[in-house]
Amino acid sequence: MSEITSAVIPPMIQDLIEHICLKYPQTFAPIPSPSILTPVNASKLSRLPVVQQCEVIALACDFAASTLYSHRQHLLSTVQGSHNRQQPIYRLPNEVFSIIFEFANAPLKVSHVSKLWRQIALNTPTLWTSIHYLNLSLIELFLDRAKSAPAEVRFHTDRTALYSPLRIRNDYCPKTDAVMTRFASTLQSHAHHLRSLDLECCGISPRFFGHHLNMAMPALSSLSLNSEDAHSRYDIALREMPFGVFEGQTPCLRKLTLKRLCIPLASSIYNGLTSICLTLVSFINSSPHDFTRRLAGCPSLKSLSLNVVEFDEVDENPVLQPVHFPHLKTMELEDLEGDVVRDIFASVKVPVTLRLSLRVVDEADSTWYDMLPQGTDVMGNLPSLCAATQLNVRCELDSLSEVRGSSKSSGFFELQFCGDEGAFSRQWLFSLAQIPFPMLQDLTICNRGEDFFDSDLISHILGHLPTLISLYLYRCTAAAQTLILSPTSRLCPLLQSLALDECGASGVTAIAIARSRSNLDGNADHQGTKISCLRRLFVRNGVGFDADVIRTLQELPIELETCEDPEPDANPTA
């Protein structure tokens, strides 16, 4: 190897030196005075000063090394490419690779595996259409490679403006403004093929935010806009976007989500929607009736969610013709004022299969019954109340899913409220019995705060629900005793499934409930009331459930399930 090296490398270096001296004579000037002659093969180099001789030698050696490395990479790439093309996977058509890459959902990674994969990835526009990045440069790259394929863009600007100690009311964040300006410029040339757009900006006035969106988006079907700190930082007028956002050209828009900003009701963006979700939105010069009447332009509306939505006008006149939403499947009203809820209920007509969810806050002069429209056909507007088969009532704001999963089917009504005063909460819960639920079969009551559910309240509510088949009670300590059937108490005569979750039910009470609701002689009592046998009993964290109690319950013809949560370790470090 050393012989080969000595025979090849020196002549190559010498040729490079001669070529450099010949090619760039003005760069390396010769010495004015004649010097001692060197061998003929180094004559050109010897005419240069020593410093330049060193530069030429170093340049020649560096060029030789880089050339050898580049040639080495070329040879290896050629050999490896030839080897790869012989593998079975490379026999697949490029169209199959494109389909596989789309399932992999990692275009940047697959485009760096091989030349072939990169070529296929770059020639598959649909591979680059799902763009969920915080890096603006990557969004620009993906949009360019997506070409004209329908694209989905999700982009959140820099959040640091939220936590800046120099934040001033109605003051812009220059950094975020610059990012938004650049992002809007990127969208401008791709707006025609955007299918979904999810933007969240902080430190930007919604008006300024909206001016960047003055572009038509004819293919847009889903839009989500969130001005992160607008609700606390800007007044109502500054939280409203321009009227002509998107130039009024979003004919394919079906799903609209707005948070902390508002698009005026006069905008054409409210036409043809099937899903609307508004959070922390304030409408100017509009009433709840104006809102529902505007939604008449959405005859196929399927989902409506309003969370802390405000209107600065009140409907003075009764609604003569409510807006019909025959396809509405879910309606969620959270933290709305009582008169807003009432006006919305009076302004709409919904199908019997509607899944209704309502969360309210303290109002001194309002109850659940007061929120229903007065002087109108309540059950004509809201037939889903009368036809509800499942009702969930929860106090406080904790998620009921921690206790029991909520049904997603039709015929479901969920009621949630946050009450700080016991008198208000009791009055509010008592009013629930004023609503007829002739078809209700499944009731869940979740009490998270102070125990409002004493025996009188439980008896009052359950006494109006004789059709119940399943009852789930969470932290209702006074409920268990009222469920014992007796000659004077016939609550829930059709009950077949009972859950006492953290209700403090004693073993004696559980036995009394099970015995009174099982082994019944006949299907009716002496008053002719139809009675069904209890088939399932669930108790969590009961009191005094020793082996004798368990054995006694297991001897009864019911399915028994008990659960004891472990006590927290008093000394976890021991």
Side-chain angles (χ1 to χ4, degrees), residues 348-360:
V348 300
K349 184 177 181 180
V350 299
V352 69
T353 55
L354 177 73
R355 183 181 187 273
L356 178 62
S357 179
L358 175 65
R359 184 175 74 180
V360 297

Side-chain angles (χ1 to χ4, degrees), residues 26 38 72 96 148 166 182 186 211 226 228 232 306 312 316 324 363 365 369 385 403 466 478 493 566:
Q26 69 279 8
T38 55
R72 168 182 174 272
V96 175
S148 295
L166 301 178
R182 178 183 165 190
T186 300
H211 282 303
N226 180 3
E228 181 63 30
S232 58
L306 306 179
D312 62 356
E316 299 290 344
H324 189 202
E363 291 194 7
D365 299 326
Y369 185 74
L385 288 182
V403 182

Side-chain angles (χ1 to χ4, degrees), residues 228-250:
E228 181 63 30
D229 61 344
H231 187 70
S232 58
R233 187 175 178 187
Y234 303 106
D235 57 33
I236 294 178
L238 291 176
R239 295 204 299 268
E240 189 175 62
M241 299 183 72
F243 167 80
V245 64
F246 300 110
E247 295 184 354
Q249 299 184 35
T250 55

Side-chain angles (χ1 to χ4, degrees), residues 18-214:
E18 293 294 328
H19 183 77
I20 291 172
C21 294
L22 182 63
K23 187 71 173 177
Y24 307 103
Q26 69 279 8
T27 303
F28 302 101
I31 300 175
S33 58
S35 59
I36 300 176
L37 294 178
T38 55
V40 176
N41 59 355
S43 59
K44 292 184 177 62
L45 181 66
S46 62
R47 298 173 186 172
L48 302 177
V50 175
V51 174
Q52 292 189 353
Q53 291 184 38
C54 295
E55 291 179 4
V56 171
I57 293 173
L59 181 61
C61 291
D62 290 344
F63 181 79
S66 62
T67 302
L68 287 173
Y69 179 79
S70 176
H71 190 62
R72 168 182 174 272
Q73 293 299 108
H74 174 72
L75 291 176
L76 289 176
S77 176
T78 302
V79 172
Q80 291 173 351
S82 177
H83 173 74
N84 290 341
R85 284 190 292 273
Q86 296 176 7
Q87 303 305 309
I89 190 173
Y90 275 77
R91 300 172 189 171
L92 295 174
N94 290 353
E95 294 78 8
V96 175
F97 274 111
S98 297
I99 296 174
I100 295 175
F101 292 167
E102 289 182 2
F103 278 105
N105 195 23
L108 287 177
K109 293 182 179 180
V110 299
S111 64
H112 287 79
V113 173
S114 68
K115 289 183 178 179
L116 176 62
W117 285 25
R118 180 175 180 82
Q119 181 183 5
I120 295 173
L122 295 181
N123 290 326
T124 308
T126 55
L127 194 62
W128 307 91
T129 55
S130 184
I131 311 170
H132 299 167
Y133 288 94
L134 299 179
N135 189 322
L136 183 54
S137 298
L138 286 179
I139 291 181
E140 295 171 343
L141 174 68
F142 273 58
L143 283 174
D144 288 338
R145 293 181 176 178
K147 299 179 181 178
S148 295
E152 300 177 357
V153 177
R154 181 182 180 186
F155 180 61
H156 294 184
T157 61
D158 192 0
R159 293 173 176 268
T160 56
L162 275 178
Y163 310 104
S164 172
L166 301 178
R167 186 178 67 178
I168 303 175
R169 181 177 177 85
N170 293 338
D171 187 25
Y172 293 152
C173 171
K175 180 178 180 181
T176 307
D177 280 359
V179 171
M180 185 60 195
T181 302
R182 178 183 165 190
F183 175 76
S185 177
T186 300
L187 284 187
Q188 190 73 44
S189 57
H190 298 277
H192 65 283
H193 67 101
L194 286 186
R195 178 174 58 190
S196 174
L197 182 60
D198 182 347
L199 291 183
E200 180 176 320
C201 294
C202 63
I204 296 181
S205 162
R207 286 188 177 181
F208 184 78
F209 186 14
H211 282 303
H212 284 80
L213 301 176
N214 57 342

Side-chain angles (χ1 to χ4, degrees), residues 496-516:
Q496 299 180 18
S497 177
L498 174 63
L500 302 174
D501 195 344
E502 296 192 20
C503 291
S506 67
V508 175
T509 302
I511 292 174
I513 293 175
R515 282 178 173 171
S516 68

